[in-house]
Amino acid sequence: MTDATKYSAPDASSTEFEISFRDDATEADRKNAELSVAALVARSVASVAQDRAEEADLAEMTDSVNGPFLKLIEEDPLAVKALDKLRTHELMRPDAMETLRRDALPNLTYDAMPPVPQRAANLRSLGFVPPYDFSWAWHDGNGNAPFSILIDRPSGNLGLDARSGALPGGASGFVNAHAGFGVFLRSDTPGQRFPHAVLNPGRWSNVLKTVGIGSNATSEGGFELTVFEDGRLLAAASRKLWRTRIGAGESASGGEGWHLITGPELEFTIQPGRGYTFNAGVWVFSDRSTGIGAAAVQSLLQGIVTRMWVFG
């Protein structure tokens, strides 16, 4: 992200985020956006921390079960050497993994104006197209940075590539990364509003592999819409596009090529005299546990936020 300013998120002191604004954004709008993204960060970091605490309890029990196997290995010099080699061996080749497309997208035919949510079909709409009012990106500071990130406010193109474990560019632990765009909203009259956004086109892919005893790998990704009132979370909805988890000695891969990806349904009540931000963002997660062996995982999601609407 170019010309972006870094901020620290309250209640998530190890996590910084970056925001890039349009040149004529007011100071009040900038402050609301900063507060909004900081709240997004704190909310996600807390959720992942809770999930990882539950995983830690399971890992403690698994380690106790694996202990006798590890003790036998440590008594055999050849087995120790083989385990050390296994843990430094990359389980995936670069040509077996997708990468973010920074060049022109494939020549595809897709709807420039995809269907709107049914409950908003008869309502007036306020539409936004790139360049959006601001863009943002961050990763959980308790974990690791994504292998690659792409976010371009003028075109609406964004993508995240998270890698953990024994593969090219793999982090030594989990990756929880987010990126997206936002617009400023105000109204002279109160009423119900229905925000909507699309990745048009979008794509996702994942690859996971584990070897040995007690290893596992997890891959997730999704598309999220949020609305904030004066920097306070007002409404949020997330569409999880995939979750894949494998155990020891397993492998998996999946994904969907370029296609229309619609955001989740969302609604909120707008009030006069208050400042609102509407955000559309993507997120990816990767994590693995080596056990007595090795594991690798990649989570990739990319798309163009072609349009953001607010119906009502």
Side-chain angles (χ1 to χ4, degrees), residues 40-64:
L40 276 176
V41 173
R43 178 170 171 262
S44 176
V45 167
S47 176
V48 170
Q50 181 177 351
D51 291 342
R52 288 185 56 77
E54 295 173 0
E55 285 284 336
D57 291 339
L58 291 174
E60 184 177 354
M61 291 184 286
T62 302
D63 290 343
S64 298

Side-chain angles (χ1 to χ4, degrees), residues 274-289:
R274 300 177 186 175
Y276 296 83
T277 57
F278 167 35
N279 297 276
V282 298
W283 57 272
V284 292
F285 178 86
S286 64
D287 197 10
R288 92 288 176 264
S289 176

Side-chain angles (χ1 to χ4, degrees), residues 216-255:
N216 62 66
T218 302
S219 171
E220 293 185 1
F223 189 17
E224 184 176 52
L225 305 182
T226 53
V227 176
F228 292 83
E229 179 186 80
D230 294 331
R232 176 181 63 86
L233 179 63
L234 196 61
S238 182
R239 180 186 175 194
K240 187 175 290 185
L241 296 172
W242 81 92
R243 172 181 166 83
T244 304
R245 180 180 175 88
I246 61 172
E250 297 180 334
S251 61
S253 62

Side-chain angles (χ1 to χ4, degrees), residues 18-292:
E18 296 185 355
I19 305 183
S20 176
F21 296 96
R22 72 174 197 236
D23 292 339
D24 62 346
T26 67
E27 189 62 31
D29 283 339
R30 289 171 183 261
K31 185 62 176 179
N32 274 342
E34 293 163 15
L35 291 172
S36 299
V37 178
L40 276 176
V41 173
R43 178 170 171 262
S44 176
V45 167
S47 176
V48 170
Q50 181 177 351
D51 291 342
R52 288 185 56 77
E54 295 173 0
E55 285 284 336
D57 291 339
L58 291 174
E60 184 177 354
M61 291 184 286
T62 302
D63 290 343
S64 298
V65 173
N66 292 339
F69 295 102
L70 184 59
K71 185 177 180 180
L72 288 174
I73 291 173
E74 291 172 343
E75 293 173 352
D76 186 334
L78 291 178
V80 170
K81 185 176 180 180
L83 181 58
D84 289 341
K85 184 176 181 180
L86 178 62
R87 286 175 170 170
T88 58
H89 178 73
E90 291 183 343
L91 300 182
M92 299 179 191
R93 305 186 316 274
D95 60 2
M97 299 181 292
E98 292 283 349
T99 57
L100 294 179
R101 292 284 301 269
R102 297 180 181 271
D103 54 353
L105 295 179
N107 184 18
L108 298 175
T109 300
Y110 57 91
D111 292 332
M113 291 287 291
V116 301
Q118 184 175 1
R119 61 183 175 176
N122 298 321
L123 301 177
R124 292 186 304 169
S125 68
L126 176 64
F128 302 87
V129 296
Y132 296 108
D133 292 336
F134 61 97
S135 59
W136 46 269
W138 59 274
H139 70 273
D140 192 331
N142 297 313
N144 299 268
F147 173 77
S148 183
I149 180 172
L150 171 62
I151 183 163
D152 185 58
R153 194 168 57 86
S155 68
N157 194 0
L158 78 166
L160 296 166
D161 181 353
R163 303 182 183 187
S164 297
L167 75 169
S172 60
F174 80 92
V175 178
N176 171 30
H178 298 240
F181 303 108
V183 295
F184 304 125
L185 301 174
R186 282 185 170 79
S187 177
D188 295 330
T189 57
Q192 287 297 106
R193 298 293 187 268
F194 302 87
H196 186 53
V198 294
L199 299 176
N200 195 18
R203 65 177 177 129
W204 63 269
S205 67
N206 62 31
V207 187
L208 308 90
K209 187 172 184 179
T210 62
V211 294
I213 301 171
S215 55
N216 62 66
T218 302
S219 171
E220 293 185 1
F223 189 17
E224 184 176 52
L225 305 182
T226 53
V227 176
F228 292 83
E229 179 186 80
D230 294 331
R232 176 181 63 86
L233 179 63
L234 196 61
S238 182
R239 180 186 175 194
K240 187 175 290 185
L241 296 172
W242 81 92
R243 172 181 166 83
T244 304
R245 180 180 175 88
I246 61 172
E250 297 180 334
S251 61
S253 62
E256 295 180 0
W258 296 104
H259 67 295
L260 169 67
I261 300 177
T262 59
E265 292 193 356
L266 188 64
E267 66 178 282
F268 71 101
T269 302
I270 200 167
Q271 299 290 348
R274 300 177 186 175
Y276 296 83
T277 57
F278 167 35
N279 297 276
V282 298
W283 57 272
V284 292
F285 178 86
S286 64
D287 197 10
R288 92 288 176 264
S289 176
T290 59
I292 306 174

